[in-house]
Amino acid sequence: MQVLRDIVYQLLPRPRPSGAPMEDGERVARRLLILSRHPNPSFSYYLDERAKTLGDIPVITKGLDDPLDAIDSDGLFVIICRYIKQPQLRWLEEKRGTLAGVAYFVDDDIPAVVTGNEASWPYKLRLIKLAVRPLPRVNRLLTHVWTSTETLASALSMRSHRIDILPPLPADAADVAINGKDDGAAPTRMVYHATGVHRREHEFLMPIVKAAMEKHGNLHFEVFAAGPLARRWARQGIDPARTTIIAPLSWPAYLAKTTHHHADIALAPLLSGKTNASRSDTKRIDISRLQAAAIFSQCQTFERCAIAGELHIGNTANEWLAAIDLLVGDRARRLSARDATRHSIERMRRHATPTFPGIRFEPLSGAG
């Protein structure tokens, strides 16, 4: 079965720019259009802050079902964020001659997700419909391809087509007020926030969390899970009075929840595998917003912006239990780890340029 998965993985289309490059390697644009399944984390992590730096340049954001007919395509640069539907694709094809360029941005190894055994079939079918099937037509329009990591660029690269890296650019962590209510008297709140795509990580954590909860009577646990995963968590025999299982939220609801409901400990396991190898470290942003002390898997993804004081451990049950014990029992260590991840967001901002690769934006004539 794995051999068949590998064959299909190689056969699925990859993004590749077919548009003629500019002689100086840079395109001039006068306005920006972002097509996105809006709102979503990819837009928030990678595009939103960069778009805010463009000053007087008009920035238009459209959801996948929004019509584009009223948009002036002259000098327009278009960013396709992961997905596109047929009506918008047809509009781009019709306006191709007037566009300044088209970029495709992706932050997941979508062929690996489609051919892997973790994601649900409804999610895979959505990827096929919105990201895989349109790609041959999208490729004929593309002048740029951007990915979130070097590893993902390597996985998706084909021949000599250039792929630029667009690392995450979070909002300034200094703008977030620190919650100082960790006085050790209230229950210690531990969370694992991940979608069903991380099925293996859920399964890895189940016995670890059960053991930690049995050991620490003051520990409360919250996990995002639905369907079979939620049922499996419920069958772990963990005290239901201290456990909350929440169905995954929409992106706006998740932002609101994690902004106003903080945690003490956030679990961030990442097991080895083709899909995970291409991921970026955006989980840091969520954990910083939660104002939690993180436990990270020791891996290349989380090493990128690591800060002294964080906990990075191997993927063994003993190491994870020991890390949870440490943070539950040592408030000072917990606060130190929390502050370290907050500082890692500052490092993430320093590592990311606020520009879009290969584009020079110039105001419309007479602007200002």
Side-chain angles (χ1 to χ4, degrees):
M1 178 61 74
Q2 186 57 49
V3 172
L4 179 59
R5 292 180 189 275
D6 291 341
I7 292 172
V8 176
Y9 175 80
Q10 295 298 330
L11 291 176
L12 289 177
R14 268 49 171 183
R16 54 182 180 181
S18 300
M22 302 298 289
E23 290 183 4
D24 61 0
E26 191 173 55
R27 288 179 176 256
V28 177
R30 295 176 176 82
R31 49 175 68 85
L32 175 66
L33 168 64
I34 302 175
L35 303 178
S36 167
R37 196 167 179 263
H38 194 72
N40 68 78
S42 300
F43 176 86
S44 296
Y45 293 146
Y46 299 94
L47 305 179
D48 191 20
E49 290 298 308
R50 288 182 169 92
K52 291 176 182 177
T53 69
L54 295 181
D56 293 333
I57 301 298
V59 177
I60 307 161
T61 302
K62 292 292 186 180
L64 299 186
D65 294 313
D66 293 338
L68 306 181
D69 297 337
I71 297 174
D72 184 354
S73 62
D74 184 33
L76 180 72
F77 192 90
V78 182
I79 301 174
I80 300 171
C81 181
R82 293 175 60 103
Y83 309 129
I84 192 167
K85 288 188 174 181
Q86 296 300 312
Q88 291 183 344
L89 181 53
R90 285 194 296 269
W91 186 88
L92 293 179
E93 290 170 336
E94 292 170 0
K95 304 295 184 180
R96 179 178 183 175
T98 61
L99 298 175
V102 180
Y104 179 76
F105 170 72
V106 64
D107 54 349
D108 267 328
D109 187 343
I110 290 177
V113 177
V114 169
T115 57
N117 59 3
E118 290 196 65
S120 66
W121 273 107
Y123 182 63
K124 289 183 179 183
L125 291 174
R126 185 163 75 242
L127 289 179
I128 291 170
K129 178 182 178 181
L130 299 179
V132 177
R133 193 172 66 182
L135 206 49
R137 287 172 62 188
V138 168
N139 281 342
R140 291 194 286 270
L141 301 170
L142 293 184
T143 55
H144 300 69
V145 177
W146 303 330
T147 66
S148 53
T149 68
E150 295 278 358
T151 305
L152 181 55
S154 297
L156 298 181
S157 63
M158 299 180 69
R159 297 187 293 276
S160 60
H161 296 290
R162 176 174 176 175
I163 295 181
D164 288 303
I165 311 304
L166 198 72
L169 180 63
D172 192 344
D175 294 338
V176 180
I178 285 289
N179 175 24
K181 294 184 179 180
D182 186 353
D183 57 8
T188 301
R189 183 165 171 255
M190 183 170 70
V191 302
Y192 178 53
H193 292 170
T195 65
V197 173
H198 291 276
R199 177 183 57 79
R200 290 192 303 142
E201 283 79 11
H202 278 272
E203 293 171 347
F204 171 74
L205 286 178
M206 285 174 185
I208 294 170
V209 170
K210 179 181 180 181
M213 296 287 283
E214 289 174 349
K215 184 173 182 179
H216 302 285
N218 200 41
L219 186 61
H220 287 232
F221 179 62
E222 175 184 281
V223 61
F224 282 12
L229 273 178
R231 292 190 290 272
R232 288 192 63 180
W233 275 110
R235 291 197 300 265
Q236 292 304 304
I238 303 172
D239 182 0
R242 295 187 291 128
T243 306
T244 305
I245 302 173
I246 302 175
L249 303 173
S250 68
W251 182 240
Y254 180 68
L255 284 177
K257 176 179 174 58
T258 54
T259 298
H260 300 293
H261 297 87
H262 300 143
D264 299 297
I265 301 169
L267 307 178
L270 199 64
L271 304 181
S272 61
K274 186 178 294 185
T275 303
N276 282 347
S278 297
R279 294 193 187 280
S280 73
D281 52 348
T282 53
K283 181 54 65 179
R284 291 181 175 281
I285 304 171
D286 296 333
I287 292 172
S288 180
R289 189 168 54 248
L290 279 163
Q291 300 186 18
I295 303 176
F296 294 109
S297 284
Q298 195 169 51
C299 60
Q300 183 177 350
T301 295
F302 292 130
E303 285 173 359
R304 187 179 79 97
C305 292
I307 293 285
E310 291 183 327
L311 281 173
H312 294 253
I313 60 174
N315 286 328
T316 68
N318 287 340
E319 289 180 77
W320 277 80
L321 281 169
I324 293 171
D325 288 346
L326 174 64
L327 292 182
V328 171
D330 189 337
R331 175 177 178 270
R333 185 67 180 87
R334 196 162 64 235
L335 296 180
S336 173
R338 177 199 70 181
D339 292 343
T341 295
R342 178 179 171 86
H343 292 314
S344 78
I345 303 303
E346 298 169 10
R347 176 171 289 185
M348 188 180 291
R349 284 179 59 84
R350 290 196 301 269
H351 283 188
T353 59
T355 56
F356 294 103
I359 318 168
R360 183 172 75 253
F361 285 97
E362 294 183 352
L364 294 166
S365 300

